[in-house]
């Protein structure tokens, strides 16, 4: 795969693949300042149900204790956008997002919570935790 980086200004391009989005997430990370905890929330997360092919909507919360690097918010938007056409169950998505963030920045502790909007009357909330909380 050819190296791809986000533009410094202008509109955000659509990810070509999940692998490209993972690469950008790691590349755009920056040295961590002296902070104790970082939280990001994406209220417009979408993916595809692997059984029905229908879109699933939800909210993703990422909370972590940085070690040496922090996530850059524009790259997180780009990364999460890559899941728009990704068929996967909510539980699998949550675990993959957590694992990808660990691979990108290796935080001391990480919690990813995905709240899937109810469809058919059932909402799902899944949490994946990596590392140890302080």
């Amino acid at each position: 795969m050819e190296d791809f980086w986000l533009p410094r200004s202008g509109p955000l391009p659509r990810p070509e693949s999940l692998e490209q989005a993972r690469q950008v997430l790691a590349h755009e990370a920056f040295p961590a300042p002296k902070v104790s905890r970082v939280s990001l929330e994406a209220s417009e997360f979408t993916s595809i149900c692997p059984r029905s092919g229908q879109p699933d909507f939800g909210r993703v919360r990422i909370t972590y204790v940085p070690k040496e690097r922090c996530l850059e918010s524009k790259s997180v938007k780009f990364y999460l956008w890559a899941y728009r056409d990704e068929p996967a169950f909510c539980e699998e998505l949550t675990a993959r997002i957590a694992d990808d963030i660990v691979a990108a920045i290796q935080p001391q502790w990480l919690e990813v919570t995905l709240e899937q909007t109810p469809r058919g009357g059932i909402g799902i909330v899944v949490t994946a935790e990596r590392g140890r909380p302080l």
Side-chain angles (χ1 to χ4, degrees):
M1 169 182 276
E2 188 175 312
D3 287 347
F4 171 84
W5 314 126
L6 294 179
R8 292 292 163 221
S9 62
L12 194 63
R14 185 169 184 168
E16 293 176 12
S17 68
L18 189 52
E19 187 52 44
Q20 179 192 55
R22 286 182 182 117
Q23 181 185 41
V24 167
L25 189 68
H27 178 267
E28 297 288 328
F30 61 92
K34 293 189 185 272
V35 296
S36 56
R37 190 175 294 235
V38 178
S39 293
L40 301 136
E41 186 167 320
S43 60
E44 299 174 345
F45 181 76
T46 58
S47 62
I48 300 293
C49 174
R51 293 273 168 93
S52 69
Q54 293 182 333
D56 284 322
F57 301 92
R59 171 185 315 269
V60 176
R61 265 192 301 295
I62 300 165
T63 303
Y64 65 96
V65 175
K67 195 181 293 181
E68 295 180 14
R69 310 211 22 98
C70 284
L71 295 170
E72 194 277 326
S73 63
K74 187 158 84 170
S75 70
V76 173
K77 291 175 200 172
F78 183 79
Y79 168 75
L80 292 175
W81 193 4
Y83 282 100
R84 184 178 192 123
D85 298 320
E86 189 71 16
F89 293 109
C90 184
E91 297 83 352
E92 180 186 355
L93 290 169
T94 308
R96 283 172 38 187
I97 292 168
D99 291 342
D100 288 347
I101 292 170
V102 167
I105 64 167
Q106 299 166 354
Q108 289 183 324
W109 173 80
L110 167 73
E111 181 180 82
V112 175
T113 300
L114 198 159
E115 296 177 26
Q116 205 168 63
T117 304
R119 188 158 45 91
I122 298 174
I124 302 171
V125 178
V126 179
T127 300
E129 196 171 330
R130 305 290 185 266
R132 294 179 187 227
L134 296 178

